[in-house]
Amino acid sequence: MTGKAARCDWKCAPQKKPCDRYKHACAVCRGFVYLYGGRNTTSLRDFWRYHVVRNEWEMLDCSGDGPEELEEHSMVAYKGILCIFGGLVDSAFTQARTPLWIYDIDSARWTECRNVPAETESSAPANRKGHSAVVYGSSMCIYGGYFGIRGISQEFWTFHFDTRQWFCVSTPSDGAGPGPRHGHSAAVYHTGMYLFGGLMGLSEQKDLWKWDFVSSSWSHIRTSQGPPPLVGHASVIFKDTLLIFGGGISNSSPNSDLWKYHFHTHTWK
């Protein structure tokens, strides 16, 4: 095997399963878990699919128009496609670039969305890491992230799958929102996106925010208990609860705690 495809193989040989990594991205679609990139000793560019029923890993093609080496990127699934955003290695070129790739599961083909030229980069989000990405309706919603030396973002973007267009969501400048952060988590429950924790500057957070898609407004959910400040954790919706796992704070070992927020009682456990 030669060219770009060959670059996917050596870093994770043998090909029976992915090598150890962190800062990768996963998504679930049609009973399979898809995994892309991350970091081992260097940034990775491999693409895997896990068969849940057979308990087997399969290495997929990441050549051609597939993404480059990525870490701290995001991946979501929508109607038979996977959408990967962000995570490019920092450079003067990638800072102004909108890194967005779509993988069609049926045709096994990658498409890089290059619909925004550099001179109009304000109409689409630039490269970033550590942001959150969720799917609501027919859109992917991106919040926050960091730009390297250019700082931390509080931008809120939506990407419409049907039109392949970006839209910048209005975020209040009076502090009525989560503010700039990265390393947080986000998940969608009914008509709300729930955002927890992350890093603001050098300060880890433990706050919980809700974006209401109906009223297009942020609200801070105040509780008397809950998880400690966390960065790099994961969250998922299960039934009527928000589950948060892992994460930690700087210069400390990550934890293995599992927290549950119940939407009906507004309590943590």
Side-chain angles (χ1 to χ4, degrees), residues 76 78 134-141 158-162 165:
V76 300
Y78 174 77
V134 300
V135 172
Y136 178 76
S138 59
S139 298
M140 174 178 67
C141 306
T158 59
F159 175 76
H160 298 264
F161 293 111
D162 298 332
Q165 291 183 332

Side-chain angles (χ1 to χ4, degrees), residues 145-156:
Y146 70 95
F147 304 117
I149 60 174
R150 292 196 299 161
I152 307 173
S153 171
Q154 61 177 343
E155 295 174 352
F156 188 16

Side-chain angles (χ1 to χ4, degrees), residues 3-267:
K4 290 185 177 179
R7 298 170 63 191
C8 309
D9 297 337
W10 67 271
K11 292 178 181 176
C12 288
Q15 299 180 23
K16 293 182 180 179
K17 64 179 182 179
C19 59
D20 295 342
R21 69 190 62 207
Y22 61 112
K23 297 184 177 181
H24 52 283
C26 291
V28 176
C29 189
R30 297 176 178 174
F32 296 95
V33 179
Y34 291 84
L35 178 152
Y36 197 96
R39 186 173 185 84
N40 183 268
T41 54
T42 60
S43 296
L44 300 172
R45 188 183 180 264
D46 54 344
F47 187 33
W48 295 82
R49 175 168 65 187
Y50 175 70
H51 300 252
V52 177
V53 175
R54 302 206 308 252
N55 188 27
E56 292 178 354
W57 284 99
E58 175 189 3
M59 194 174 194
L60 303 177
D61 184 23
C62 54
S63 61
D65 293 322
E68 302 156 40
E69 290 85 354
L70 300 178
E71 55 182 83
E72 293 187 85
H73 49 297
S74 62
M75 176 163 57
V76 300
Y78 174 77
K79 289 187 177 181
I81 66 171
L82 303 175
C83 190
I84 291 180
F85 176 76
L88 286 173
V89 177
D90 292 331
S91 71
F93 172 69
T94 59
Q95 285 180 359
R97 183 175 166 190
T98 299
L100 177 67
W101 297 268
I102 292 179
Y103 178 77
D104 187 288
I105 292 175
D106 292 329
S107 64
R109 291 183 178 179
W110 287 101
T111 301
E112 182 177 6
C113 297
R114 301 176 179 176
N115 59 327
V116 182
E119 60 266 25
T120 59
E121 66 178 83
S122 61
S123 61
N127 180 48
R128 68 199 59 206
K129 298 180 181 181
H131 54 281
S132 60
V134 300
V135 172
Y136 178 76
S138 59
S139 298
M140 174 178 67
C141 306
I142 299 289
Y143 188 88
Y146 70 95
F147 304 117
I149 60 174
R150 292 196 299 161
I152 307 173
S153 171
Q154 61 177 343
E155 295 174 352
F156 188 16
W157 292 86
T158 59
F159 175 76
H160 298 264
F161 293 111
D162 298 332
T163 62
R164 301 286 173 95
Q165 291 183 332
W166 287 99
F167 175 72
C168 186
V169 181
S170 178
T171 301
S173 58
D174 56 1
R181 67 180 66 202
H182 63 97
H184 55 282
S185 67
V188 171
Y189 176 73
H190 290 175
T191 59
M193 179 180 74
Y194 292 81
L195 185 151
F196 179 84
L199 198 63
M200 295 182 69
L202 300 176
S203 177
E204 297 89 357
Q205 305 297 310
K206 61 176 182 178
D207 49 349
L208 178 64
W209 290 85
K210 175 186 177 182
W211 170 260
D212 191 309
F213 288 102
V214 177
S215 63
S216 297
S217 61
W218 286 105
S219 59
H220 184 198
I221 300 176
R222 303 181 185 277
T223 57
S224 58
Q225 303 180 40
L230 292 177
V231 176
H233 54 286
S235 66
V236 67
I237 300 295
F238 178 70
K239 296 183 178 180
D240 294 317
T241 61
L242 171 69
L243 298 176
I244 289 180
F245 178 78
I249 60 175
S250 303
N251 302 317
S252 179
S253 299
N255 69 67
S256 59
D257 293 342
L258 176 64
W259 286 86
K260 177 172 68 175
Y261 176 78
H262 200 284
F263 290 108
H264 295 329
T265 61
H266 306 290
T267 57

